[in-house]
Every structure is written in C-alpha cells, then in structure tokens.
Amino acid sequence: MSDGSDDELTYAEAGVDIEDSEAATAALVGAVSEVGDTTEYAGLVDVGDRYLALATDGVGTKLLVAVALGDYSTVGIDCIAMNVNDLVAAGVEPAAFVDYLAVDVPDEARAAELGEGLAAGAEEAGVALVGGETAVMPEVVEDFDLAGTVAGLATDDDLLAGEAQAGDVLVGFASSGIHSNGLTLAREAASRAGGFDEPFPGDDYDTVGEALLEPTRIYTYLLDALHEYDVHAAAHVTGGGWTNLERMGEYRYDVTDPLPAQDVFAFVRDAGNVGDEEMHRTFNMGTGFVVAVDPADADALIDATDGERIGEVADGDESSVEIRGLSL
C-alpha cells in the first residue's frame, strides 16, 4: 500500500544528514585534548605486552520499530553485533560486553526481552556479559535507549594493518538484511507504504516490521580466518553504507560482483522512491562485512569461510567505491 507520494526520499530528508553527523563527530573529537591510539573501528590502550581494545555503539532508531511492534526480542542481539563487529574489523577478539539501558518507566517484561536478546548475542559472539546500568530518566528519554561497550585484548600481531593494497581482492560476507543502520530512512519508507503491520512483499517475512527487526549478523566467527590469511584490512558496512570501504585507505574499490541485496532493500527503495546512490550510501545492500586480502590468499580465505569474491582494490586519482554502475 502506498500513500501516493512520488517525492524521492533521502536519508537527510528523513531526519539524518550523514555529513552533519560526521562534522559533529569531528568537532567532538577535536575538542578532546588527548586521544589514545585508534583504528578505524576501535580505540586502543597500550597495557604493556598487548592492547586493550574498546568500541561502543547502540541500536539507533531501530528501537522505534521494536516499540511500535511491542517486540524487544532481537534488539539486544543488534546491540551486541554492532559493537563486536567493529572489533572484528580491527582484528580483535571481543572478550566482554557491558550494556547501558535508559528508560522512561521501568518495565519488567521489556527488560526481560532485552536481556534475553543480549544474552543470545553474547553467546553467539563468544563474549561475557559483565553487568551494566539501567537508568530511569523520564524527562530525558522516551520509551528507552539501549547501547553498550565491548572490550577485547590484542597483540600487535592480532591487529589488522588497516590499510588495503592496490591489487588486493575484495571478499564480501552477506548481511542478514538491513542491520541497525539507516532505520530512520527505512521507517519513513515503511510509513509511506502503510506502516509496519503491512504485509511484506516477499517470502521471508509476514510483515514489514518483521523484516526491519531482523537482527544484525555477527561476524566474530571470521576472526581465525582473518588472522590465518593475509587480510590487510576490513570494513564493517554500517552508517554510510558502501562508503565504509574507504576506511581501508584511499583507493578505488571496484565492486564488480556484489552479493545480492535482500528483498527488504527493494521494499525501502520502492516504498520511499529512494535513488540507487542514496540506497548504497545508507544501507549495506546485502553485504555486512568486507575484507581486502592478498590475491595469493583470496581463494583459501573464501574456501575457509562463507565469503565470496566481490571485486578488487585499485589505484585511482581519488578514493571511490564503484558498484552497480555507481561511483560513491
């Protein structure tokens, strides 16, 4: 069902301007007098013979879908995934996770569902849940917010170099769907199509809401392979969509054989009249994790995992991602 609007929807018009967000983040970091060692995905603290690696993240406006449906069973998994996947992109095995839950009014049933999701995500990721904080702040939050921090230990040898090399093979790993980014745009598209309770135009879900709540895939299972083969850098495809590949260095990323995008992306595109470039700058479009690996090790890495060759890294006059006829 559609509301009849033909206006092309963008992430900024839906409420999130990526450039403004990046500028605000840069201003925050610039105001801090001293920042420790960092990778593109984790902060590092030198503790002698190894590093303590830390990352923090939340679930974003996906929480509003959970509130609308009264289903909180999966967003705890998202919270774990969004954090541990960042450590994986740095080559670090996550060890422990601490959560922060802010609520307007305590709700025992909701808290239990959130806890079950956190426990399920932690078990899959192989991390210990080491407590957390629940804050009741009725004048600060509406409904609830969920975030967390993950910690891991790594030696110099564990850390990925973080810089791709020209000639590297790009290996992609499928997402489970929309993950926990771009939900402000996806929710607006859903509202144009009649809301979360509308039937989903595909075979995988009964309703649009179920499709949007599919939890983020966890990629900790890749760590052994990332260390065994000559993986130079990795990208967790989150906010900013496919432009995340540029975090592996200033190259041209030729994605010649992208993994297929799940039906949920076609739904958002069609319901919101969202352009292809906007889709690829906002969403993972079927691929949640990408690595740049030495060509000599690419086939072995693919054989050892569920990854697929999706393209290569090339020198270019300026950094870009070339995918599906787009230049991002």
Side-chain angles (χ1 to χ4, degrees):
M1 182 183 299
S2 173
D3 66 0
S5 174
D6 293 326
D7 294 339
E8 184 172 313
L9 185 61
T10 68
Y11 202 11
E13 290 166 348
V16 177
D17 189 305
I18 293 175
E19 291 184 0
D20 286 351
S21 176
E22 290 176 346
T25 300
L28 174 62
V29 173
V32 178
S33 59
E34 294 185 12
V35 177
D37 293 336
T38 63
T39 72
E40 286 287 345
Y41 291 96
L44 303 175
V45 180
D46 189 340
V47 292
D49 61 343
R50 63 191 66 192
Y51 294 98
L52 173 64
L54 298 163
T56 190
D57 207 342
V59 183
T61 66
K62 191 170 188 174
L63 297 179
L64 296 179
V65 183
V67 170
L69 297 178
D71 181 357
Y72 311 103
S73 61
T74 63
V75 290
I77 300 174
D78 286 294
C79 193
I80 296 286
M82 294 301 291
N83 281 278
V84 299
N85 289 344
D86 277 358
L87 286 199
V88 175
V92 179
E93 183 170 0
F97 182 87
V98 59
D99 66 274
Y100 176 77
L101 173 63
V103 302
D104 56 354
V105 177
D107 184 318
E108 185 176 348
R110 178 179 63 190
E113 280 195 71
L114 293 172
E116 290 168 2
L118 288 168
E123 181 177 5
E124 182 178 349
V127 299
L129 289 175
V130 290
E133 168 71 4
T134 297
V136 181
M137 301 189 296
E139 295 181 65
V140 177
V141 299
E142 184 176 348
D143 292 313
F144 75 104
D145 190 20
L146 179 66
T149 298
V150 65
L153 291 171
T155 66
D156 277 316
D157 290 339
D158 293 329
L159 296 174
L160 299 182
E163 178 82 12
Q165 297 179 15
D168 278 353
V169 170
L170 293 173
V171 177
F173 300 88
S175 68
S176 56
I178 211 161
H179 285 187
S180 286
N181 292 102
L183 267 295
T184 299
L185 177 54
R187 288 186 299 105
E188 179 61 24
S191 72
R192 290 188 176 191
F196 301 135
D197 292 327
E198 286 295 305
F200 181 70
D203 297 330
D204 295 332
Y205 306 97
D206 290 332
T207 66
V208 168
E210 287 180 12
L212 298 185
L213 281 184
E214 178 69 38
T216 303
R217 191 177 185 194
I218 292 173
Y219 295 102
T220 50
Y221 71 95
L222 293 175
L223 275 165
D224 288 345
L226 299 189
H227 292 139
E228 182 174 355
Y229 303 103
D230 195 5
V231 171
H232 297 144
H236 180 202
V237 186
T238 57
W242 278 85
T243 61
N244 276 278
L245 269 62
E246 295 179 316
R247 298 171 77 173
M248 297 191 291
E250 295 187 2
Y251 297 96
R252 188 178 77 244
Y253 296 90
D254 290 326
V255 183
T256 53
D257 297 290
L259 302 179
Q262 292 90 346
D263 289 345
V264 66
F265 298 108
F267 164 77
V268 172
R269 180 196 64 209
D270 296 342
N273 189 24
V274 184
D276 286 341
E277 183 172 341
E278 188 75 6
M279 291 294 296
H280 285 78
R281 287 186 177 275
T282 304
F283 300 110
N284 67 65
M285 298 303 291
T287 305
F289 202 84
V290 177
V291 304
V293 59
D294 189 290
D297 279 338
D299 288 339
L301 173 65
I302 291 168
D303 288 343
T305 64
D306 59 346
E308 296 185 36
R309 184 186 297 250
I310 62 171
E312 65 178 18
V313 181
D315 284 321
D317 293 335
E318 59 183 24
S319 181
S320 68
V321 179
E322 311 295 322
I323 179 171
R324 296 187 174 107
L326 305 170
S327 184
L328 307 180

